[in-house]
Amino acid sequence: METLLQAVGVARTYGSGSGSVQALKRADLSIPAGRLVALRGRSGSGKTTLLNLLAALDTPTEGAVYYKGRAISSLSDSERTLIRRREMGLIFQSYALIPLMSAYENVEFGLRVAGVPRREYAALAREALDYVGMLPRMKHRPFELSGGEQQRVAIARAIAHRPSLVLADEPTAELDSRMGLTVIKVFKDLVRDFGITVLLTTHDPAIIEIVDHVYTLEDGQLEDES
Ligand code: ADP
Ligand code: MG
C-alpha cells in the first residue's frame, strides 16, 4: 500500500522560554493513499497544530513531514505553497468562502489559485459542484445558503482541481448532526470514487464510527487507535 503522507518524530512548540507551549509532542503517523482517516481529540489537544504541519502551512520544530515520499517540511515557503495549492484541498470549520462571490465563482477562484488552465475552469467547477449536489445553487452567494450547503461548496472548491489529499479541520463542528453526516458522506464518496485520501479532525463519535482509521490526540500526544 502506497504511503501518501507520513510524519516522523514531528513536534511543534510555539514561542520560546518560559512562555513556550508544546502543542505537539514527537508524533509518528503514516497514511496510505485512498483512506478516510480521523484525528480526534478535545479542544486544545493539538489537532489544528498537527493538521497545519501536514498541510505544509506550518513547519515543525522537530522531525519531518513527507508527502509522496518528499520531505515537504524542509522545502522553502514558496515550494510548500505550490505543492499545497496543486495537490491538496483544505477545508475549514467556518467554510471560508468569499462572501461577495457566488458558489460557482468561489470554486472557480480555487481553480485559479491551483494554477489550472483557464479553459478548464468551467467544466471542472461544474463537475465539482455537481458532485456535492450544489449545481442547482451555483449562482447563490454564501449568505443565501445553509451551513451544510456552504460546507458542500467549500468541499467542491477543495476538490475541483482533483487533489490527492484533502485535509479538513473540524468540517462538521458548526453543523447539526444530520448535516454533518451528509458532509461526511461526501468525504466517503470521494475516497471510494476517486481514491482521494481524506484526513479530518473531529470530536463527533458518529463520525469516528464511519472512518477507516482513527488517531487520537491528548495534550499533544498522538496515539494510533488501529
Ligand atoms: P485543537 O485544534 O485540538 O483545539 P490546537 O492545535 O489549536 O488544538 O492547540 C494546541 C495547543 O497549542 C493549545 O494549548 C493552544 O493554546 C496552543 N496554540 C495553538 N496555536 C498557538 C500559537 N500560535 N501560539 C501559541 N500557542 C498556540
Ligand atoms: Mg483546532
Side-chain angles (χ1 to χ4, degrees):
M1 184 71 79
E2 186 207 342
T3 299
L4 184 75
L5 189 64
Q6 195 180 13
V8 180
V10 165
R12 179 67 163 100
T13 301
Y14 296 110
S16 58
S18 58
S20 72
V21 178
Q22 197 183 10
L24 182 67
K25 296 164 190 162
R26 291 173 141 272
D28 298 304
L29 151 161
S30 182
I31 298 177
R35 293 288 172 85
L36 178 56
V37 179
L39 181 59
R40 101 168 134 191
R42 274 191 284 275
S43 177
S45 59
K47 300 183 298 298
T48 297
T49 298
L50 177 54
L51 208 74
N52 288 347
L53 292 168
L54 298 173
L57 282 165
D58 186 22
T59 48
T61 325
E62 278 180 68
V65 176
Y66 298 87
Y67 174 76
K68 292 185 175 169
R70 192 167 174 209
I72 52 169
S73 48
S74 50
L75 298 177
S76 69
D77 276 359
S78 58
E79 286 173 309
R80 282 189 285 125
T81 299
L82 211 59
I83 291 179
R84 185 186 329 111
R85 288 179 171 176
R86 301 228 154 128
E87 305 224 5
M88 301 183 188
L90 267 49
I91 293 160
F92 306 95
Q93 177 176 342
S94 51
Y95 327 128
L97 298 173
I98 298 167
L100 289 175
M101 291 184 179
S102 69
Y104 177 84
E105 288 163 343
N106 266 280
V107 176
E108 192 186 64
F109 183 70
L111 289 168
R112 184 180 315 174
V113 168
V116 169
R118 180 177 291 269
R119 65 179 178 280
E120 295 176 21
Y121 287 176
L124 290 176
R126 282 174 163 276
E127 197 177 333
L129 283 161
D130 190 30
Y131 190 78
V132 300
M134 290 300 291
L135 199 53
R137 307 295 301 274
M138 64 178 249
K139 297 218 168 106
H140 293 243
R141 294 200 188 161
F143 74 91
E144 296 166 319
L145 304 171
S146 73
E149 288 166 346
Q150 288 183 59
Q151 193 59 300
R152 274 147 61 197
V153 173
I155 294 173
R157 180 181 56 184
I159 64 169
H161 61 296
R162 308 203 172 144
S164 308
L165 176 65
V166 168
L167 297 161
D169 198 2
E170 305 209 34
T172 63
E174 290 183 18
L175 305 176
D176 63 39
S177 56
R178 192 181 58 85
M179 282 219 196
L181 283 174
T182 316
V183 164
I184 297 305
K185 185 167 177 302
V186 175
F187 289 136
K188 261 201 108 68
D189 291 347
L190 283 172
V191 171
R192 184 198 60 209
D193 296 344
F194 305 113
I196 289 182
T197 300
V198 179
L199 175 62
L200 58 92
T201 68
T202 186
H203 40 240
D204 184 338
I207 293 172
I208 298 299
E209 290 295 311
I210 301 173
V211 302
D212 299 321
H213 197 96
V214 180
Y215 285 95
T216 299
L217 264 170
E218 215 176 306
D219 295 331
Q221 187 78 51
L222 187 71
E223 301 285 345
D224 188 337
E225 297 231 343
S226 55

